Amino acid sequence: MNAMRKTYLPLSDEDRNYLKSLSKKRTIQAQVVDRARILLYKADGMTFQQIADKLAISTATVRLCVSKFHKGGLDAALFDVQRSGRPSEITDDAKAWMISIACQRPAELGYAQELWTLASLHKYIQKHAEEAGYPRLSTVTKPYIQKFLREQDMKPFKIKYYCEKRDPDFETKMHEVLLVYKQIEMQFDENGDLIVPDDYKLTITVSYDEKPGIQAISNTAPDLRPTPEHGEVYRDAEYKRLGTLSLLAGIDLLTGEAIPLVSETHKSSDFIEFLKILDKKYPSQDTIRIILDNHSAHTSKETRCFLDTMPKGRFKFVFTPKHGSWLNMIESFFSKMTRQMLHGIRVNSKQELEERIYKYFDEINREPVVYHWKYKMDEISEEEAASV
């Protein structure tokens, strides 16, 4: 016993946190609270006599509690009847219940928030564990829940976005787009040079989309440029909105040239204006094939009337599936443009914004990049592409 008084109880962090929660509870037996405190004090290195004096109990009670801990563990030291309180382990059913709670939307359980936080999930589990039939979880610790979720590879605190395939013909339409990309690939020889037919009739393929709502924003005070003392650009947090512009743009997938049209809107009339730019740009014998989405301006009565005025076969539209804009290669171009040029841009007028957009296209077209599509291209044979 003398040696036992001088040793520290080997408590894990989880056991220590559990005992601390028991020592503060008012809804369990007083003797369980005392036993929890005995074990905590002993883990801190207090002697039997010091513990007895602090809790106003006998040293025999202290010795018995510590002895039971050494012989049978935490449960044996705390409870007279086996498993009348905390089970030795959290059961699989209790773990499954925790997972089901983590998978639910907090708003459906009476919370205002959309996503769980670790604190709110911990609080909910503790509050509702007993009524759900898992009393052990009423004292589960926040670090345990965090560790448990990590083991299950669950992150109910985060949102990861995806595109729902709402188009019933998604696979068919995607296949049509991939066929176009395969046909483009076949228009180049093994050296990467464009193969020009003897009759000089080419099928020009343009990847097209709109980028509406580009904001013209001006500073209310001049930016402070980097200095040796301050390496960043310093900018006044206040700004002034000057309106928005729309960008209609296409990429010639044979040459990599980017073709812009900046407008106040992106209506059918604007789209028709872009088609006129393409019609003027390419020889009359060429077919202009455009990969584009299902925006109403692309299929409107006004657009169809314009196409009826064009020579037969001059324009051919290939539509991406709904929620399949990622199949259109110009999306990558817009992403690059946002990073390189539009991010943090400040202008003095909408006119300046328009001029700088056109200037960006001039810079890009000095060294055009021919885009090559790779995804699922191994599923498209040259024979199938040639037969279409």
Side-chain angles (χ1 to χ4, degrees):
M1 287 297 181
N2 188 42
M4 187 182 298
R5 283 198 302 269
K6 295 180 181 179
T7 58
Y8 292 80
L9 288 189
L11 295 179
S12 67
D13 290 341
E14 182 185 351
D15 286 342
R16 186 181 284 272
N17 289 333
Y18 172 62
L19 290 173
K20 286 180 179 178
S21 67
L22 287 182
S23 69
K24 297 175 183 178
K25 275 188 171 290
R26 300 181 181 179
T27 57
I28 58 176
Q29 294 177 324
Q31 62 183 5
V32 175
V33 174
D34 282 345
R35 291 168 184 173
R37 290 172 177 170
I38 288 171
L39 297 177
L40 286 170
Y41 290 148
K42 190 60 187 168
D44 291 336
M46 293 177 64
T47 65
F48 291 157
Q49 188 61 55
Q50 288 172 330
I51 296 172
D53 292 342
K54 191 171 185 65
L55 298 177
I57 57 178
S58 67
T59 56
T61 300
V62 179
R63 289 194 185 94
L64 180 61
C65 179
V66 175
S67 177
K68 285 182 176 181
F69 173 83
H70 283 292
K71 291 179 181 179
L74 207 56
D75 290 337
L78 292 171
F79 307 109
D80 293 330
V81 179
Q82 186 178 9
R83 298 179 70 84
S84 62
R86 172 192 184 240
S88 58
E89 293 181 357
I90 296 176
T91 64
D92 290 340
D93 286 345
K95 292 178 180 179
W97 180 75
M98 283 197 295
I99 291 175
S100 71
I101 297 301
C103 289
Q104 293 186 59
R105 190 166 164 246
E108 295 172 354
L109 297 174
Y111 289 81
Q113 64 203 62
E114 182 67 20
L115 299 179
W116 289 113
T117 63
L118 182 59
S120 62
L121 179 61
H122 174 241
K123 185 176 180 179
Y124 184 92
I125 289 173
Q126 281 196 325
K127 183 177 180 181
H128 297 277
E130 196 153 350
E131 64 188 64
Y134 308 107
R136 166 64 181 91
L137 295 180
S138 64
T139 56
V140 73
T141 64
K142 195 184 300 183
Y144 175 85
I145 293 177
Q146 187 176 38
K147 179 183 177 183
F148 174 71
L149 292 174
R150 191 180 301 118
E151 290 172 350
Q152 304 302 315
D153 194 25
M154 292 188 67
K155 301 173 183 177
F157 326 114
K158 299 181 68 176
I159 293 177
K160 188 174 183 179
Y161 289 91
Y162 75 103
C163 287
E164 182 71 23
K165 293 183 179 180
R166 294 188 176 89
D167 192 332
D169 300 320
F170 188 94
E171 296 298 329
T172 301
K173 292 179 180 178
M174 179 176 72
H175 191 75
E176 291 175 358
V177 175
L178 296 183
L179 276 173
V180 171
Y181 290 150
K182 188 67 176 182
Q183 290 166 354
I184 294 170
E185 186 179 285
M186 293 166 60
Q187 288 183 261
F188 294 89
D189 61 22
E190 62 274 8
N191 298 319
D193 297 323
L194 183 64
I195 301 172
V196 180
D198 293 338
D199 59 4
Y200 291 95
K201 290 183 179 180
L202 284 172
T203 296
I204 307 297
T205 304
V206 176
S207 174
Y208 168 86
D209 201 5
E210 297 98 0
K211 188 176 181 62
I214 301 174
Q215 293 195 60
I217 299 176
S218 67
N219 284 334
T220 56
D223 285 344
L224 302 179
R225 305 308 302 172
T227 66
E229 292 76 24
H230 302 288
E232 302 91 356
V233 174
Y234 276 70
R235 173 173 289 171
D236 185 8
E238 293 188 10
Y239 56 87
K240 184 179 179 181
R241 299 181 188 273
L242 305 176
T244 62
L245 292 175
S246 291
L247 170 63
L248 295 77
I251 299 175
D252 184 328
L253 298 184
L254 295 181
T255 65
E257 181 183 356
I259 307 158
L261 172 62
V262 179
S263 175
E264 292 281 343
T265 58
H266 59 289
K267 300 184 296 185
S268 296
S269 57
D270 301 303
F271 180 54
I272 291 170
E273 188 63 30
F274 186 83
L275 295 179
K276 290 179 179 178
I277 292 173
L278 296 181
D279 182 51
K280 185 177 180 181
K281 180 177 180 64
Y282 295 105
S284 59
Q285 73 268 19
D286 290 346
T287 296
I288 303 172
R289 180 171 53 185
I290 305 176
I291 301 172
L292 70 174
D293 62 24
N294 291 273
H295 190 280
S296 59
H298 307 158
T299 57
S300 68
K301 181 179 179 180
E302 188 177 352
T303 298
R304 292 197 305 272
C305 288
F306 168 76
L307 293 175
D308 289 340
T309 66
M310 291 286 102
K312 187 177 179 180
R314 176 58 165 166
F315 286 102
K316 179 180 179 182
F317 290 177
V318 179
F319 292 102
T320 58
K322 292 179 182 178
H323 296 276
S325 60
W326 53 272
L327 284 166
N328 204 341
M329 282 200 272
I330 195 169
E331 294 295 334
S332 298
F333 175 84
F334 281 160
S335 178
K336 178 181 177 181
M337 178 181 179
T338 299
R339 294 193 308 271
Q340 290 184 340
M341 180 251 177
L342 294 178
H343 179 69
I345 191 170
R346 292 294 185 266
V347 294
N348 294 317
S349 65
K350 288 172 67 173
Q351 179 64 33
E352 182 187 343
L353 176 61
E354 178 178 340
E355 291 171 356
R356 288 176 64 178
I357 290 174
Y358 279 122
K359 182 179 290 186
Y360 176 79
F361 276 78
D362 289 340
E363 294 170 356
I364 289 295
N365 288 331
R366 288 184 196 129
E367 297 182 18
V369 176
V370 177
Y371 289 71
H372 297 282
W373 187 265
K374 299 296 183 183
Y375 178 69
K376 288 196 172 184
M377 287 300 288
D378 56 343
E379 299 179 9
I380 310 295
S381 67
E382 290 191 2
E383 290 77 14
E384 182 184 8
S387 67
V388 177

